[in-house]
Amino acid sequence: MSVTTAAPARKAAPMTREERKVIIASSAGTVFEWYDFYLAGSLAANIAATFVPGTNDTAKFIFVLFGFAAGFAVRPFGALVFGRLGDLIGRKYTFLVTMTLMGIATFMVGLLPSYESIGYAAPVIFIICRLLQGLALGGEYGGAATYVAEHAPHGRRGFYTSWIQTTATVGLFLSLLVILSLRLSMTPEDFNAWGWRIPFLLSIILLAFSVWIRLSLNESPAFQKMKEEGRRSKAPLTEAFGRWENAKIALIALLGGTAGQAVVWYCGQFYALFFLTQTLKVDGTTANLLIAFSLLIGTPFFVFFGWLSDKIGRKPILLAGCLIAAMTYFPLFENIARIANPKLIEATETVKIDITADPATCGTLFDPVGVRVFTRPCDVLRRTLATNSMHYELKPGAEGTPLVATVNGTEVVIPDTDKTGASVVAAAQGAGYPKAGDASILKQPSVSGVLTDPRALSVIGLLFILVLYVTMVYGPIAALLVELFPTRIRYTGMSLPYHIGNGWFGGFLPPTAFAIVAATGNIFSGLWYPIIIALMTVVIGLIFLPETKNRDIDNWH
């Protein structure tokens, strides 16, 4: 690798028509890919009901988690496969391939027959489609970010690439908007029977538009120049990760950049939605509206922080976002809970649930991908209480002591027929814990209702703060990653740390956080996962991550 130099100062020129076209085309295709990817999570219940046999809710939940996790798990492999192609044959053609692959896989889900029609082939084909989506997304982002950055003038790369950074949020927003529109325009029975397939089928129209607009683009000037001069890497993977001087940069980019960025991003958007629906028992439509409004208000700040990173640097904004988020997550989520479900928070403070058992009969509940089956009464009861958002304290008993549960000091008799601990849940609800659907839980399943309800507006304000943290860490990250690697291995080098960070550190955040909640008996304890990872990134980033905003990437090969 040649030594990098700072580019000479140039006066920022207005965005040209060609540059605007590059940003629009790259962003439109990436929005489409994120839209496709998020549909499986947003419609998880409908997918499970269609493709998983029987009425076993646990089996359906495991299938949904596995399907969602599969897409995240293979993203780094997609980064390796398509990153290599991008450095060998070009940015433009590679992200055309990834986009087409994503569109076809998503369209297939919309057409896929149910379990009743084709048996176990249905869930198997669905998982294959999710794997293809994850592979495609692993190649798409790096190509789009690299392509835009290599077209951007020096001094404006943060601003130009920040438009790519809006696409994940816009894709999520678009998927929620389409689903909400369908839910509000048809009966629940029709939506559950066939309406849920429409968002997947619509992807073929988005695919056609995205391919058409991207076909009109030229190859990036940096890659074209390198190709003409015969300086392309013959083995991008080996050069990027087989040489310590490059592999070290990838490791720093991961631990000192994308890992913290990922958990702040997923906590502010996806875990916030999970927390509203699964922990606070807010109905899905209300929760989606709250998240959608916070995203609508917050999305312009991706561009603002991308622009600001051109002025003061990528590193200070990224690390400040991680640090501030880590310091304020607990009070923010506690206030969201007090507003959205006040009886729940009151109960956590006034209703005391104790579980006493032989420690040998209580195992670890860590189950981030939802594949373990728990059979011991102690483990089953703790998971049941966590699922019902109930605080509990686990106390060690003497060897051979049977499981004993008390609510406010009164022992709860658990009959042999109660295999889940439902009797303890009922006793806790009798002592003050609210049931699902309680009138005190925030519910405004309409746009007008949300916009006129002070409680809903307060929650949106708190969610907006979480989204603001997302924009701080995510807005500058594309420019930072592009600038860390030379042109000859840029697509490969930046894609892997990005997708390990976001696919694994971020993608597994919701199930990992729930596992922590179930193990500790506190609905807020799952926040320790993003807090610790974010603080790790702050420390490593401060020490090892270089500032890159002044690098001349056009002449770095």
Side-chain angles (χ1 to χ4, degrees):
M1 184 197 309
S2 61
V3 178
T4 61
T5 58
R10 306 174 203 167
K11 185 177 179 180
M15 186 183 294
T16 66
R17 181 179 179 181
E18 181 63 24
E19 290 167 349
R20 190 177 298 111
K21 180 181 176 182
V22 165
I23 292 174
I24 292 173
S26 300
S27 299
T30 310
V31 165
F32 153 67
E33 292 224 21
W34 283 113
Y35 164 85
D36 281 2
F37 191 74
Y38 290 144
L39 287 179
S42 301
L43 295 169
N46 302 93
I47 290 169
T50 303
F51 300 135
V52 182
T55 58
N56 188 326
D57 290 337
T58 300
K60 291 180 182 293
F61 182 67
I62 289 173
F63 172 78
V64 168
L65 274 180
F66 182 73
F68 200 61
F72 287 106
V74 299
R75 279 172 56 180
F77 300 101
L80 292 174
V81 172
F82 293 109
R84 176 179 179 274
L85 288 178
D87 284 326
L88 286 173
I89 67 173
R91 288 53 164 131
K92 172 186 172 179
Y93 294 107
T94 301
F95 66 41
L96 275 171
V97 172
T98 62
M99 187 170 60
T100 303
L101 182 62
M102 173 70 85
I104 292 173
T106 304
F107 186 69
M108 285 296 297
V109 173
L111 295 177
L112 185 60
S114 67
Y115 173 84
E116 293 180 354
S117 299
I118 60 173
Y120 282 103
V124 170
I125 295 173
F126 172 75
I127 295 297
I128 291 173
C129 288
R130 284 297 292 169
L131 292 171
L132 291 175
Q133 286 182 318
L135 287 171
L137 192 59
E140 165 66 19
Y141 175 83
T146 299
Y147 187 79
V148 171
E150 290 179 346
H151 275 87
H154 179 74
R156 304 196 76 189
R157 280 191 298 269
F159 174 66
Y160 278 42
T161 58
S162 66
W163 293 96
I164 293 292
Q165 302 310 96
T166 68
T167 59
T169 297
V170 173
L172 173 62
F173 182 81
L174 182 61
S175 69
L176 294 177
L177 185 64
V178 170
I179 293 167
L180 279 171
S181 298
L182 290 169
R183 285 187 183 276
L184 295 174
S185 62
M186 61 177 62
T187 65
E189 292 76 19
D190 285 343
F191 183 84
N192 292 332
W194 55 269
W196 68 269
R197 294 180 179 271
I198 294 176
F200 291 93
L201 298 176
L202 287 176
S203 68
I204 202 70
I205 300 174
L206 297 174
L207 172 64
F209 170 76
S210 300
V211 169
W212 171 74
I213 193 171
R214 281 193 176 182
L215 281 173
S216 65
L217 299 176
N218 298 314
E219 184 55 82
S220 87
F223 181 85
Q224 191 62 36
K225 178 183 176 183
M226 184 178 65
K227 178 181 178 181
E228 291 169 355
E229 295 174 353
R231 290 184 284 101
R232 283 181 296 174
S233 173
K234 293 181 174 58
L237 290 177
T238 301
E239 188 172 342
F241 308 117
R243 299 179 184 176
W244 174 242
E245 64 268 24
N246 292 331
K248 177 178 64 175
I249 296 299
L251 191 61
I252 292 171
L254 171 62
L255 300 180
T258 61
Q261 165 260 303
V263 295
V264 171
W265 177 24
Y266 279 79
C267 191
Q269 292 186 183
F270 306 108
Y271 187 66
L273 180 60
F274 177 91
F275 187 76
L276 284 170
T277 57
Q278 303 301 312
T279 302
L280 302 183
K281 311 304 180 185
V282 175
D283 71 280
T285 302
T286 299
N288 283 333
L289 285 170
L290 296 172
I291 293 290
F293 276 111
S294 68
L295 295 178
L296 184 64
I297 300 169
T299 295
F301 287 90
F302 286 108
V303 178
F304 170 75
F305 285 114
W307 168 84
L308 186 62
S309 76
D310 286 329
K311 308 299 180 184
I312 67 174
R314 329 294 186 204
K315 179 175 174 176
I317 298 174
L318 168 66
L319 299 186
C322 288
L323 181 61
I324 297 170
M327 293 173 62
T328 57
Y329 271 158
F330 275 114
L332 284 172
F333 276 86
E334 287 172 2
N335 277 286
I336 289 172
R338 288 187 185 278
I339 296 170
N341 195 337
K343 281 189 177 180
L344 173 64
I345 301 306
E346 181 182 353
T348 63
E349 297 169 347
T350 59
V351 180
K352 184 174 177 56
I353 304 173
D354 290 324
I355 300 173
T356 304
D358 179 353
T361 65
C362 296
T364 174
L365 295 178
F366 191 68
D367 183 27
V369 295
V371 296
R372 294 179 60 191
V373 177
F374 297 93
T375 58
R376 292 189 290 188
C378 177
D379 299 337
V380 172
L381 177 57
R382 288 187 292 157
R383 281 180 63 86
T384 297
L385 292 174
T387 301
N388 285 276
S389 308
M390 295 178 173
H391 281 196
Y392 71 84
E393 183 177 353
L394 179 62
K395 296 183 176 181
E399 183 177 353
T401 299
L403 176 70
V404 175
T406 63
V407 175
N408 287 339
T410 301
E411 182 177 345
V412 179
V413 177
I414 306 176
D416 293 337
T417 55
D418 182 2
K419 303 299 182 182
T420 64
S423 53
V424 181
V425 171
Q429 289 172 341
Y433 269 98
K435 298 179 180 179
D438 188 275
S440 65
I441 301 174
L442 176 62
K443 184 174 184 178
Q444 287 292 355
S446 68
V447 172
S448 58
V450 166
L451 294 178
T452 56
D453 186 336
R455 291 173 66 197
L457 293 174
S458 296
V459 172
I460 290 172
L462 294 168
L463 292 172
F464 163 70
I465 296 173
L466 295 176
V467 174
L468 192 63
Y469 298 159
V470 174
T471 64
M472 287 184 69
V473 299
Y474 200 54
I477 196 70
L480 170 67
L481 291 173
V482 166
E483 292 159 350
L484 280 172
F485 296 94
T487 306
R488 57 191 287 116
I489 59 168
R490 181 167 295 138
Y491 199 149
T492 304
M494 73 161 290
S495 293
L496 187 62
Y498 174 83
H499 285 291
I500 291 178
N502 288 277
W504 292 358
F505 281 91
F508 292 118
L509 188 153
T512 301
F514 176 76
I516 296 171
V517 168
T520 59
N522 186 303
I523 62 173
F524 298 109
S525 61
L527 294 170
W528 281 113
Y529 173 73
I531 288 172
I532 291 171
I533 299 299
L535 291 177
M536 174 198 73
T537 290
V538 171
V539 174
I540 294 175
L542 279 173
I543 299 171
F544 298 107
L545 187 68
E547 179 53 65
T548 61
K549 76 179 181 70
N550 291 322
R551 286 187 174 176
D552 183 0
I553 67 169
D554 296 333
N555 298 305
W556 185 18
H557 307 292

